[in-house]
Amino acid sequence: MFDAADGTAFTHEQGARARKLFAAVVLAALDDAIADDKKYGNGPEQIARWARSRDGREVLSCAGIDPNERVVAGLMEFVGKGVRTSVALSREESERRHAAAAAEAEAA
């Protein structure tokens, strides 16, 4: 019924779905850290602690993200900005950032 190509395609598709699922867990962890930052003021430390933990490293790896210190610093910086992931990933936010960068380049 299935040939080798179908089996490989199915396996690849399942892997892509798993990566997306783990990426969603990373986004949820970022949102939780942003909420902690607004409530308690310790969001960047929380996300760094999570990303350096065994579970955090495993989730990042399964999401296709190399769990190194550069990534941890980037996660901390993102949480420090306080922009929720749903807003940061939206088209409007992307267009706003692009317009701000263009205006800044024009001013220089």
Side-chain angles (χ1 to χ4, degrees):
M1 186 165 167
F2 287 111
D3 61 357
D6 287 339
T8 302
F10 180 76
T11 302
H12 177 71
E13 185 178 328
Q14 290 294 94
R17 286 184 193 157
R19 276 190 300 281
K20 287 180 183 179
L21 177 67
F22 281 104
V25 173
V26 172
L27 293 176
L30 285 167
D31 279 343
D32 288 348
I34 290 167
D36 281 352
D37 194 39
K38 289 180 180 179
K39 192 170 185 180
Y40 304 113
N42 66 345
E45 294 82 19
Q46 286 291 91
I47 197 69
R49 188 176 307 119
W50 175 79
R52 290 177 180 135
S53 72
R54 185 180 342 159
D55 290 339
R57 287 192 316 262
E58 188 169 345
V59 169
L60 288 169
S61 293
C62 290
I65 302 168
D66 185 26
N68 57 37
E69 281 303 311
R70 183 174 176 217
V71 169
V72 173
L75 293 172
M76 290 175 68
E77 180 181 338
F78 184 86
V79 170
K81 289 180 182 177
V83 178
R84 308 273 304 183
T85 58
S86 59
V87 174
L89 295 173
S90 71
R91 178 180 290 176
E92 294 82 18
E93 178 69 12
S94 176
E95 290 171 353
R96 186 191 67 75
R97 285 184 186 171
H98 187 304
E104 188 175 297
E106 242 178 55

